[in-house]
Amino acid sequence: MEQKVEIDGKSRKLRKRGVKRLETLLDATAYLLEQRQDENISLADIAARADIPLASVYHFFPNRNAAFVMLAERYHRQIADQVTAPIVPRPQSWQEVVTYRQRRGSAYLNANPAAQRLFLGAGVSVEVRNTDLNGNASLARFYADLFCRYFEIGQSAALEDMMANSIALMDGIWALSYSRHGRITDAFLTESTRASIAYLRCYLPEHLKPRHEGGDAPQPGSDGQS
């Protein structure tokens, strides 16, 4: 059985053994990023940590930066899975959605120091930064879908833009926390949540009508109120 994987910007089919080897290499990359600066990590280090021959590593990564990019993509997929998961209990206000998701997101990053290094640290490559920005654009769409899932609000490009801007505010505050404390502290989490809600209040009413459970949310790309 084969699985499609994006490697160095190209779609490749890997057998189960190849997928497992790739995941082992990404685990090794994450471990090394937790232990040292990225400029001090080589493909040989990744190969040694994963206990995989260096020649085999080149089948997956042409250089160490490609490994960092693929690791960043894996983190964003995991974050997206969290964002799209149902919120229990069902939120009664959009402010609850922002608060809940930021709390979950900060907990995820604090539990994954390598993800913090890639997304919040200084000195990451342009490719890793672009991967993060592309991932945030997808998260903005997911957040817009989430609002439409729980509240009577029309899906629109403007809503996605609002979510993207609120995520940028959050990221900036979290990056400041990381630079000062090496993690996202509770105090900075409170500030990022407050900033995102304050920004969204410029465009959203204080209260949105909850969508009844099981009701159909508007399809992505449709405009206007439901």
Side-chain angles (χ1 to χ4, degrees):
M1 185 175 181
E2 294 182 332
Q3 179 178 329
K4 282 189 176 181
V5 178
E6 193 82 10
I7 297 178
D8 196 27
K10 299 177 182 178
S11 182
R12 286 176 48 185
K13 291 182 178 180
L14 296 179
R15 295 186 181 277
K16 185 177 180 180
R17 182 170 179 270
V19 172
K20 184 177 180 180
R21 179 164 283 195
L22 174 59
E23 291 300 316
T24 299
L25 289 169
L26 292 177
D27 289 342
T29 304
Y31 174 85
L32 292 170
L33 275 171
E34 293 175 11
Q35 306 300 317
R36 62 180 85 163
Q37 296 298 318
D38 55 352
E39 64 267 19
N40 295 326
I41 299 172
S42 66
L43 281 183
D45 294 327
I46 295 172
R49 175 65 192 176
D51 195 22
I52 292 174
L54 181 58
S56 295
V57 176
Y58 282 107
H59 289 296
F60 299 98
F61 312 133
N63 51 58
R64 68 181 182 186
N65 194 58
F68 299 153
V69 167
M70 287 201 69
L71 181 61
E73 290 172 345
R74 185 173 76 169
Y75 283 133
H76 261 294
R77 287 194 299 272
Q78 293 172 351
I79 292 170
D81 287 342
Q82 285 196 350
V83 171
T84 55
I87 299 176
V88 180
R90 193 176 180 86
Q92 297 303 304
S93 72
W94 62 262
Q95 294 89 338
E96 286 181 45
V97 174
V98 175
T99 301
Y100 179 85
R101 286 303 178 210
Q102 289 207 18
R103 186 168 65 246
R104 289 289 302 274
S106 64
Y108 174 87
L109 288 178
N110 281 336
N112 292 276
Q116 286 186 320
R117 174 75 59 80
L118 289 172
F119 298 146
L120 304 178
V124 296
S125 70
V126 173
E127 291 83 0
V128 170
R129 181 58 180 157
N130 286 339
T131 298
D132 187 26
L133 291 174
N134 290 335
N136 283 348
S138 296
L139 290 180
R141 290 192 294 273
F142 293 142
Y143 266 99
D145 290 343
L146 200 62
F147 269 50
C148 294
R149 182 191 307 176
Y150 293 116
F151 304 102
E152 297 285 351
I153 181 172
Q155 178 91 16
S156 67
L159 181 60
E160 288 186 22
D161 288 343
M162 289 179 223
M163 296 304 162
N165 290 338
S166 71
I167 290 172
L169 287 169
M170 175 192 74
D171 272 359
I173 293 172
W174 286 4
L176 180 59
S177 180
Y178 181 73
S179 70
R180 292 183 179 179
H181 305 289
R183 62 189 300 274
I184 303 166
T185 66
D186 289 344
F188 275 91
L189 172 60
T190 298
E191 291 304 305
S192 68
T193 303
R194 180 178 292 143
S196 293
I197 290 175
Y199 166 77
L200 290 172
R201 277 193 174 118
C202 296
Y203 302 96
L204 296 176
E206 187 66 19
H207 303 286
L208 289 172
K209 182 180 178 182
R211 186 179 298 279
H212 65 83
E213 193 165 358
D216 293 331
Q219 294 299 312
S222 62
D223 294 315
Q225 295 293 327
S226 300

